[in-house]
Amino acid sequence: MWTADEIAQLCYEHYRVRLPKQGKPEPNREWTLLAAVVKIQSSSDQGCDTPDKPVQATKEVVSVGTGTKCIGQSKMRKSGDVLNDSHAEVIARRSFQRYLCHQLQLAATLKEDSIFVPGTQRGQWKLRPGVFFVFFSSHTPCGDASIIPMLGFEEQPCYPVSRDWATNSFVEASGNLETPENKRAYEDPDSHITKKMRLGTPARLVANGAAYRDKQGGDPVSSDVSSPNVPLEKLASVTGIASCGVKVVDVYRTGAKCVPGDAGDPRKPGAAYHQVGLLRVKPGRGDRTCSMSCSDKMARWNVLGCQGALLMHFLEEPVYLSTVVIGKCPYSQEAMRRALIGRCQNVSALPKGFGVQELKIQQSCLLFEQSRCAVQAKKGDSSGRLVPCGAGPESAKWSSSDHSRSC
């Protein structure tokens, strides 16, 4: 019916064509993240989807969001007139809710076709048969889904990893990668070492330059972040050693902090720095935030739906996402499943119609042209600092409900 690359290309094209330049990153100086919701609608008169006769479906981007910022708790307003979380995934979901409200209004007033049809009870509505929604993000969501192992030969990014690693909290590290003089810098979220690690540079390379590669000799093993079918023998096992003899030496680290009062990260050297599966809050600029990580929020959407409490008063059943597609970036299929599905398996006592969904998760091999990685590659060695788009918590959003866009 569709592929991950088709979804990514559709969202990238929509971003380029439908959104004006205002609010977009400044070339060669700023970067951003992109998220979107795509409506997939198949014809009701078609049969089952088979290799010989695939079902034809229409694909439409119904909401788009960009952004990387989140305000600290001291800047939150009791009046609710300030948006706390402006990460792309959250903005795209808010725009999607606006789209759903508009579609519900169309259904209630009978003005034109809507994605909603009457439910079994009066005043209740449900999705039209054959309508599905795909969530796209140009990067893995912050928080638990971004804790991805790093093999010894890698600079960036990493292979998708085995299920054994993703479901275990600790993996054997290659040694003490944090020297005493660098320990404080590793723990400081604003230090040059931590910032480089957020860019995808392994801790061992930040601390020791290219010494590891020189010591090993030869060319590093090539890795393709967009390949989900890497042979199992190339993946790191729970022992932290791949079949090629290279250890899991570190993990891609998330800036999201563990929820206060809950278990915390061990913060040990290398691969044992993080504890996986925990709830986390997004980092702030010196001021702790109260906003949960995007991994946690997307996991919640996969249980409670994307419609929100207000719309649920008028819906017979929640509006769930059928698939999540991630763009080209450091990625782990198992970490994504753990973060969005696995952590919620024990959730119980839910109202009728709610439940943990068996969400499909895919990755595209297409890179977002205004991602940090792409902009850095274009920028090369030119002078000037690379920064997230917008000096404040500014994000771009677009909804097909009124074809408007605001910042």
Side-chain angles (χ1 to χ4, degrees):
M1 186 182 295
W2 51 266
T3 65
D5 285 351
E6 288 176 346
I7 295 296
Q9 184 61 43
L10 184 67
C11 295
Y12 294 158
E13 186 66 21
H14 191 98
Y15 173 83
R16 286 192 294 266
V17 175
R18 300 299 297 272
L19 272 66
K21 291 183 178 180
Q22 180 186 4
K24 287 184 178 179
E26 183 179 326
N28 298 323
R29 196 184 77 86
E30 295 180 325
W31 59 274
T32 193
L33 300 179
L34 172 70
V37 177
V38 179
K39 181 186 73 171
I40 308 292
Q41 186 163 6
S42 57
S43 301
S44 58
D45 58 346
Q46 297 189 58
C48 297
D49 189 17
T50 63
D52 298 333
K53 190 177 180 182
V55 172
Q56 297 298 315
T58 58
K59 300 179 286 292
E60 179 189 4
V61 177
V62 297
S63 75
V64 170
T66 69
T68 61
K69 304 297 179 65
C70 186
I71 67 171
Q73 58 185 359
S74 64
K75 296 181 180 179
M76 297 176 65
R77 299 280 291 272
K78 293 182 179 180
S79 58
D81 57 352
V82 173
L83 185 60
N84 299 330
D85 190 345
S86 295
H87 280 216
E89 296 93 330
V90 177
I91 297 297
R93 187 252 185 168
R94 291 176 68 92
S95 296
F96 180 49
Q97 288 178 316
R98 185 176 181 178
Y99 166 80
L100 293 177
C101 287
H102 178 68
Q103 290 293 313
L104 188 59
Q105 182 183 27
L106 294 179
T109 57
L110 303 176
K111 287 185 176 180
E112 55 184 277
D113 288 341
S114 168
I115 62 170
F116 292 112
V117 294
T120 56
Q121 298 182 18
R122 184 177 181 181
Q124 298 285 294
W125 305 83
K126 63 180 180 180
L127 276 180
R128 184 182 298 275
V131 174
F132 307 94
F133 294 103
V134 176
F135 190 89
F136 173 78
S137 178
S138 62
H139 200 278
T140 49
C142 65
D144 196 59
S146 292
I147 304 176
I148 304 171
M150 217 177 268
L151 300 186
F153 55 74
E154 294 178 309
E155 288 188 28
Q156 78 161 6
C158 64
Y159 279 122
V161 297
S162 68
R163 185 176 303 278
D164 287 340
W165 191 95
T167 54
N168 282 273
S169 300
F170 298 95
V171 182
E172 178 186 355
S174 64
N176 188 355
L177 302 179
E178 299 177 11
T179 60
E181 59 270 19
N182 283 334
K183 183 176 181 181
R184 183 170 299 177
Y186 274 86
E187 296 178 352
D188 180 6
D190 295 320
S191 72
H192 69 285
I193 289 181
T194 307
K195 288 179 179 178
K196 284 187 177 181
M197 286 191 293
R198 289 180 188 170
L199 284 169
T201 307
R204 57 181 174 78
L205 291 182
V206 174
N208 303 321
Y212 178 88
R213 185 179 299 174
D214 294 339
K215 180 179 179 181
Q216 296 297 319
D219 296 330
V221 181
S222 62
S223 62
D224 183 1
V225 69
S226 64
S227 174
N229 299 314
V230 177
L232 289 177
E233 61 269 20
K234 295 230 180 173
L235 300 177
S237 69
V238 71
T239 63
I241 302 178
S243 62
C244 57
V246 182
K247 292 183 179 182
V248 175
V249 297
D250 210 336
V251 290
Y252 284 91
R253 301 187 182 180
T254 177
K257 308 299 182 184
C258 297
V259 172
D262 202 352
D265 288 318
R267 308 186 89 173
K268 293 182 179 180
Y273 186 88
H274 280 307
Q275 171 91 14
V276 299
L278 301 181
L279 296 175
R280 297 174 181 272
V281 292
K282 293 172 179 172
R285 292 175 172 260
D287 185 12
R288 197 180 191 100
T289 78
C290 293
S291 297
M292 301 301 293
S293 72
C294 287
S295 293
D296 297 333
K297 290 189 175 184
M298 292 179 68
R300 183 180 64 189
W301 303 342
N302 194 44
V303 178
L304 302 179
C306 291
Q307 72 289 328
L310 177 62
L311 271 177
M312 197 61 218
H313 287 291
F314 307 99
L315 299 180
E316 193 169 89
E317 54 194 26
V319 178
Y320 288 111
L321 301 170
S322 66
T323 309
V324 170
V325 175
I326 303 296
K328 186 174 182 180
C329 64
Y331 175 86
S332 162
Q333 181 76 10
E334 286 72 25
M336 285 289 295
R337 280 194 59 84
R338 177 194 70 223
L340 304 188
I341 305 173
R343 297 187 297 166
C344 303
Q345 292 299 334
N346 294 328
V347 174
S348 59
L350 292 169
K352 183 180 178 180
F354 293 87
V356 181
Q357 305 299 300
E358 190 55 37
L359 187 68
K360 296 179 182 178
I361 304 173
Q362 301 180 21
Q363 189 190 23
S364 167
C365 65
L366 302 181
L367 183 67
F368 180 41
E369 63 183 13
Q370 292 189 318
S371 66
R372 177 161 48 184
C373 182
V375 175
Q376 182 66 59
K378 292 178 183 178
K379 183 175 180 293
D381 297 329
S382 59
S383 60
R385 183 185 174 194
L386 190 63
V387 297
C389 179
E394 179 180 281
S395 295
K397 66 178 181 179
W398 181 94
S399 172
S400 69
S401 61
D402 58 359
H403 300 282
S404 67
R405 189 263 194 169
S406 59
C407 293

